[in-house]
Amino acid sequence: MSRANPSVMFGFFVAVIVAICGVSLLKGGVYIGKHEGDTLHMLQIVFRMAMGEWPHLDFMTPIGALAAAPIALFVTLGFGAGMSFLLAQALVAVVLLLPVWWAAWSRLPGLLAYLFGLIVLVLVAALVHGETERSISLSMHYNRWAWAVSFVAMTLAVLPNRGAPRPLADGLAIGLAMAALVMLKVTYFALFSLPLALALLLRGSTMALFVAFVTGAVIAGLITLAGGTAFWLAYLGDLLMVAQSEIRPAPGDAFSAVVGAPAYIAGSIALIAGVVLLRQGHDKIGGLVLLLLTPGFFFVTYQNFGNDPQWLLFLGVLLLASLPKSGLRNGFGWEVRQAQILTATVAMALAAPSFLNLAYSPFRHFAMDVSGYTPMLPSSGPHNDMRATRLRGAHVVARSPLDGPDTEFASYAEVARLEEPLVFHGTTLPDCEVQFGHPAYFETITRDLDEAGLAAGKQILAADLFSSYWLYGALKPLKNGAPWHYGGLPGFENADYLLVPLCPIVAASRRAILKEVEKAGITMNEVRRTRLYILYQRG
């Protein structure tokens, strides 16, 4: 298959960016249909970075700084949170334009090069995390960005150059991509860096590997100059905290299910078949590297919410780009070329529902009727352009068991209960979780604190999964706190108050935090009690 025209292909990629990002920006804001809590978590990080704070140094998070830095940049420039997110996606797409074009033109033939670029740019600019549920969501945007960056690096490292070697261009692109993964979500870097380095060595691209290493080292040096060695130590500490967390070690199915459950096993078989067929087709290097990437594909999918195997897209591209000559047959008598095309088709077919959901999410968002949406941050000026449905943003819905004391089901409670009732400082806390209405929930509690004169300039640690109260009033963000709680008591030494919600977002997080407070032997005095929360301060 002949190579694509480089100028026409570059123009096509520009058109894709203009179409997808342009239609997103024309909406004038973001109107989400799910994952409001995740959005508030993201906004905490974005606003703190816009204030000049550093992730890991000033607050705890396992997510890299690059996941929020482009959004924070536009917030700093005066844009609302919604437009800042959309502009950040456009910026990332533009920054990736040249590496995507280079990977496509130098490694892939004909229409496959166009398809590859489309896949990567859709991953960057989509307005849903994946899967097939159609509601707009900003959650886990960094996973999409990380897959896109990974695909560029994998294509350049695993596939041979179709023209004259350009080790400087390859090395720069790969080095920048791997550095970006470190600063986006380090899991991708940890799992993919060694297989890709081996691929370069086996392909004889030692100069490209050297350039990639130097590029990464220079970027690491610049970050160290700006944040000091303490930045890396704090980053490592945050990652270790999450790795040891018992609250949310993984946000979806068990690892064995991600590999072998009915929803995933066809993709797993296609991946293993791809490894075998590449080697039978005499692409020993490609087969070996794909085999070494396999654990990473599975683990990243296991770690990401929704367990969406986005690597199926790359698998299809890799197999179609590595077709052997016709006539070669394996031990079963199959023609390897046809078997490889069939396997790639299966991978693409399995990935199609999720990819199509990603691809047309910006157009779906543009066509939405937004009359039923309300600001997530009311009275926040420009940030009113981040909106959620009234049903989910303003309608507070909680889940509570019906087998409590003095109920018809009380006799069943001891049989069904997995844990003892939670008692803190003599108060038995209700078994309850808020399901929807997070913005209204946080705003109401914060307004009560404001009216009681307890909020202005104060910092609180909330005994809950995340603590977005400071987004809604005069509270200050908790220094060294965690926008999303993974374990321990991060920032508690700086907290003026401990806020114990009677109906938290996640009851397991409330239990874990209060147990840590008791374990530390910290005496707490009650300051205020309402129907929604109890407020404590150190004795």
Side-chain angles (χ1 to χ4, degrees):
M1 190 182 297
S2 61
R3 299 175 72 182
N5 182 295
S7 300
V8 174
M9 185 171 60
F10 188 86
F12 172 76
F13 293 161
V14 170
V16 169
I17 294 173
V18 170
I20 298 178
C21 297
V23 77
S24 298
L25 292 167
L26 286 174
K27 195 68 174 179
V30 174
Y31 299 83
I32 65 171
K34 60 182 177 181
H35 298 152
E36 297 82 9
D38 292 53
T39 302
L40 291 173
H41 161 239
M42 178 193 74
L43 291 178
Q44 285 195 67
I45 296 175
V46 167
F47 290 161
R48 293 185 75 147
M49 291 186 69
M51 295 172 189
E53 295 189 5
W54 280 65
H56 323 303
L57 289 175
D58 296 310
F59 57 90
M60 184 267 172
T61 178
I63 301 167
L66 193 56
I71 311 170
L73 168 64
F74 289 105
V75 168
T76 304
L77 294 175
F79 291 92
M83 286 298 289
S84 293
F85 181 86
L86 299 175
L87 288 165
Q89 296 224 121
L91 176 61
V92 173
V94 170
V95 169
L96 276 178
L97 174 59
L98 195 57
V100 168
W101 171 84
W102 174 247
W105 184 74
S106 66
R107 298 304 197 273
L108 299 168
L111 294 177
L112 194 59
Y114 288 86
L115 176 62
F116 169 79
L118 179 65
I119 288 170
V120 173
L121 295 174
V122 162
L123 281 167
V124 170
L127 290 177
V128 67
H129 68 282
E131 298 186 271
T132 55
E133 211 285 316
R134 299 168 65 252
S135 301
I136 298 300
S137 170
L138 307 188
S139 180
M140 299 161 291
H141 68 281
Y142 44 82
N143 288 337
R144 293 188 284 103
W145 292 0
W147 276 122
V149 171
S150 297
F151 289 170
V152 172
M154 289 175 188
T155 301
L156 289 170
V158 178
L159 292 172
N161 202 313
R162 289 182 170 264
R166 296 287 190 275
L168 180 60
D170 291 348
L172 281 172
I174 295 170
L176 289 169
M178 301 314 289
L181 292 179
V182 171
M183 299 301 292
L184 269 173
K185 193 172 181 181
V186 76
T187 310
Y188 289 78
F189 172 83
L191 293 168
F192 298 151
S193 57
L194 289 180
L196 297 191
L198 179 62
L200 290 171
L201 286 174
L202 293 175
R203 295 286 186 199
S205 303
T206 52
M207 180 55 68
L209 178 60
F210 174 75
V211 173
F213 177 81
V214 170
T215 302
V218 168
I219 293 172
L222 293 174
I223 295 171
T224 305
L225 284 175
T229 55
F231 170 81
W232 299 110
L233 294 174
Y235 195 177
L236 179 61
D238 289 352
L239 294 171
L240 290 174
M241 169 64 77
V242 175
Q244 298 166 4
S245 172
E246 297 181 358
I247 297 174
R248 198 181 186 192
D253 289 332
F255 183 80
S256 58
V258 169
V259 177
Y264 308 106
I265 193 168
S268 300
I269 292 172
L271 178 55
I272 300 305
V275 172
V276 173
L277 290 169
L278 284 174
R279 294 186 66 79
Q280 289 178 341
H282 302 311
D283 186 357
K284 305 294 187 183
I285 295 174
L288 174 61
V289 175
L290 183 60
L291 178 63
L292 295 177
L293 288 170
T294 295
F297 287 159
F298 288 146
F299 190 83
V300 169
T301 303
Y302 155 74
Q303 194 183 56
N304 290 352
F305 176 85
N307 304 131
D308 203 358
Q310 299 292 352
W311 49 264
L312 284 167
L313 296 166
F314 175 75
L315 174 63
V317 170
L318 174 64
L319 293 178
L320 292 176
S322 307
L323 294 175
K325 295 180 179 179
S326 300
L328 179 65
R329 296 185 179 275
N330 62 16
F332 294 103
W334 303 345
E335 186 176 9
V336 177
R337 182 183 179 89
Q338 294 302 316
Q340 201 161 305
I341 292 173
L342 178 61
T343 304
T345 303
V346 168
M348 291 291 193
L350 292 170
S354 175
F355 177 71
L356 292 174
N357 191 28
L358 291 163
Y360 84 98
S361 59
F363 303 94
R364 187 167 67 242
H365 178 254
F366 178 74
M368 285 167 45
D369 176 6
V370 297
S371 58
Y373 286 73
T374 184
M376 294 189 66
L377 301 175
S379 306
S380 64
H383 304 306
N384 282 344
D385 65 350
M386 183 71 77
R387 298 183 172 233
T389 63
R390 290 174 185 167
L391 184 63
R392 293 180 62 101
H395 182 45
V396 184
V397 177
R399 180 178 63 186
S400 182
L402 296 178
D403 58 359
D406 302 321
T407 69
E408 291 84 348
F409 307 106
S411 61
Y412 297 96
E414 292 304 318
V415 178
R417 183 171 291 118
L418 300 177
E419 294 183 291
E420 291 297 316
L422 178 60
V423 180
F424 185 71
H425 278 249
T427 298
T428 300
L429 299 175
D431 187 1
C432 173
E433 288 184 335
V434 174
Q435 300 295 292
F436 306 122
H438 298 158
Y441 175 82
F442 288 123
E443 183 183 22
T444 299
I445 291 178
T446 305
R447 183 170 59 244
D448 185 82
L449 290 169
D450 280 334
E451 292 172 352
L454 296 169
K458 300 297 185 180
Q459 303 177 60
I460 65 170
L461 172 67
D464 207 343
L465 181 64
F466 51 90
S467 177
S468 299
Y469 301 96
W470 67 271
L471 297 175
Y472 291 90
L475 291 165
K476 293 172 60 180
L478 178 61
K479 182 175 176 57
N480 300 129
W484 188 289
H485 179 258
Y486 291 93
L489 295 172
F492 190 42
E493 67 278 3
N494 300 310
D496 296 293
Y497 302 115
L498 171 69
L499 187 146
V500 180
L502 297 182
C503 191
I505 307 297
V506 174
S509 294
R510 181 181 66 178
R511 180 182 292 270
I513 291 173
L514 296 183
K515 292 300 183 185
E516 288 287 339
V517 172
E518 291 181 337
K519 187 191 303 183
I522 302 171
T523 302
M524 306 300 297
N525 293 330
E526 185 176 319
V527 175
R528 182 173 175 79
R529 182 183 292 242
T530 74
R531 292 195 303 169
L532 297 177
Y533 67 90
I534 307 173
L535 193 69
Y536 297 93
Q537 66 181 167
R538 285 185 178 85

